[in-house]
DNA sequence: CGCCAGGGCCATA
DNA sequence: TATGGCCATGGC
């Protein structure tokens, strides 16, 4: 367990291909990215289900904020998330709701546009870049920081510094970034929270301690 | 019952 | 720049 890529290989051999992000369309992926902000995915599924069919920008913009909030209510923070979904929808319509058109643009420009939207920060922007548009941005979330701190890596503090830390140490491929982030989340969910001892933990983490760390802020690690 | 989840924004110092 | 408060539901 000496480098970042080794961690990826270990997780991949244990959990296999994850085929993320769970969504039918790029736009539904983006909607999920906003709904899952500080929210469990099970709640996001309830909210997505309430749309009836896969959501579109026109549908979201046609609904009142109150009506949209009612639909996404199970995902929590529904007032601000309703506004955020409308911001996202307006942006996607600038590209004719065409993911292929977005992909053909300069990725740095697209990312900057997403970050400029109210309600989309670094993690949400990079999730969208990677999982909706297939661009190689490594997503940094709380699981990633916790796991690699726990593994003893000295990772930077600022978001983009952490992102570059990972991107420089891995083959620069969107498919690998895609799989790796999914594996980190799956690993965190399957072992490090639910199982008290993690006897089968592929990373040999002592999760009795990990659970203690989980109760602290990341920066205190 | 309390904790927390695949964050982000804003006010304050 | 760096903390702290706020948003809010559902599962355990």
């Amino acid at each position: 367990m000496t480098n970042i890529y080794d961690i990826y290989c270990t997780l991949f051999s244990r959990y296999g291909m994850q085929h993320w992000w769970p969504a039918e369309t790029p736009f539904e992926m983006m909607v999920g990215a906003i709904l899952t902000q500080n929210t469990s995915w099970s709640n996001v599924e309830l909210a997505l289900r309430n749309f009836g069919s896969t959501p579109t920008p026109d549908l979201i913009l046609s609904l009142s904020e109150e009506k949209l909030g009612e639909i996404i209510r199970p995902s929590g923070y529904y007032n601000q998330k309703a506004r955020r979904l409308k911001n996202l929808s307006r942006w996607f319509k600038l590209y004719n709701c065409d993911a292929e058109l977005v992909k053909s643009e300069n990725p740095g420009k697209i990312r900057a546009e997403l970050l400029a939207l109210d309600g989309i920060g670094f993690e949400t922007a990079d999730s969208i870049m990677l999982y909706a548009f297939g661009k190689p941005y490594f997503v940094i979330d709380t699981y990633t920081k916790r796991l690699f701190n726990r593994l003893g890596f000295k990772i930077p503090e600022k978001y983009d510094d952490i992102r570059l830390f990972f991107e420089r140490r891995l083959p620069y491929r969107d498919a690998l970034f895609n799989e790796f982030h999914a594996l980190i989340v799956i690993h965190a969910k399957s072992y490090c929270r639910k199982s008290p001892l993690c006897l089968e933990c592929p990373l040999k983490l002592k999760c009795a301690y990990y659970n203690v760390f989980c109760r602290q802020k990341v920066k205190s690690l």
Side-chain angles (χ1 to χ4, degrees), chain A residues 8 24 26 64 69 96 106 136 147 169 189 219 221:
Chain A
Y8 167 75
E24 289 189 18
S64 68
N96 200 26
N106 180 330
L147 177 61
R169 288 167 174 74
K189 287 183 179 174
K219 50 193 162 187
L221 291 175

Side-chain angles (χ1 to χ4, degrees), chain A residues 8-47:
Chain A
Y8 167 75
C9 293
T10 302
L11 291 175
F12 186 87
S13 52
R14 169 60 185 81
Y15 300 105
M17 192 71 82
Q18 298 302 311
H19 304 291
W20 267 27
W21 183 292
E24 289 189 18
T25 63
F27 185 70
E28 184 180 304
M29 180 277 145
M30 299 186 246
V31 169
I34 285 178
L35 294 184
T36 198
Q37 289 172 348
N38 202 38
T39 300
S40 64
W41 184 255
S42 60
N43 281 17
V44 176
E45 287 182 316
L46 295 176

Side-chain angles (χ1 to χ4, degrees), chain A residues 48-60:
Chain A
L48 287 173
R49 202 166 302 159
N50 284 344
F51 279 106
S53 58
T54 183
T56 64
D58 284 327
L59 170 66
I60 285 174

Side-chain angles (χ1 to χ4, degrees), chain A residues 28-218:
Chain A
E28 184 180 304
M29 180 277 145
M30 299 186 246
V31 169
I34 285 178
L35 294 184
T36 198
Q37 289 172 348
N38 202 38
T39 300
S40 64
W41 184 255
S42 60
N43 281 17
V44 176
E45 287 182 316
L46 295 176
L48 287 173
R49 202 166 302 159
N50 284 344
F51 279 106
S53 58
T54 183
T56 64
D58 284 327
L59 170 66
I60 285 174
L61 290 174
S62 74
L63 296 167
S64 68
E65 241 177 71
E66 294 72 24
K67 192 71 182 172
L68 180 57
E70 194 55 35
I71 290 174
I72 65 173
R73 200 170 91 92
S75 69
Y77 309 122
Y78 51 86
N79 287 317
Q80 47 173 284
K81 282 178 179 175
R83 270 179 272 120
R84 292 174 184 189
L85 289 182
K86 282 176 176 285
N87 292 339
L88 174 74
S89 300
R90 272 182 235 109
W91 172 80
F92 199 37
K93 288 195 73 168
L94 297 177
Y95 293 90
N96 200 26
C97 305
D98 183 354
E100 294 306 316
L101 177 56
V102 176
K103 291 181 190 175
S104 71
E105 298 277 336
N106 180 330
K109 172 198 160 202
I110 297 299
R111 183 175 188 256
E113 289 179 1
L114 289 172
L115 286 172
L117 296 179
D118 187 43
I120 296 190
F122 290 112
E123 187 193 331
T124 306
D126 285 340
S127 295
I128 290 173
M129 292 305 292
L130 181 61
Y131 290 103
F133 303 129
K135 303 301 178 184
Y137 287 88
F138 197 89
V139 179
I140 306 300
D141 63 352
T142 54
Y143 287 152
T144 309
K145 287 183 276 194
R146 276 180 198 161
L147 177 61
F148 285 89
N149 274 310
R150 176 69 189 89
L151 289 168
F153 289 90
K154 287 303 178 186
I155 63 177
E157 296 186 355
K158 290 193 292 189
Y159 181 92
D160 272 331
D161 292 335
I162 306 174
R163 177 173 64 81
L164 291 170
F165 178 89
F166 280 88
E167 292 178 2
R168 289 200 327 261
R169 288 167 174 74
L170 291 167
Y172 193 63
R173 303 252 187 87
D174 68 285
L176 188 145
F177 292 0
N178 176 325
E179 194 56 34
F180 200 171
H181 177 66
L183 287 167
I184 289 167
V185 175
I186 287 297
H187 173 70
K189 287 183 179 174
S190 344
Y191 284 98
C192 294
R193 284 190 342 103
K194 292 186 178 175
S195 175
L197 290 179
C198 297
L199 297 178
E200 299 177 32
C201 177
L203 297 176
K204 313 298 183 207
L205 289 173
K206 295 176 180 173
C207 292
Y209 291 107
Y210 186 92
N211 285 334
V212 174
F213 283 118
C214 280
R215 297 176 182 282
Q216 304 175 2
K217 294 289 186 182
V218 171

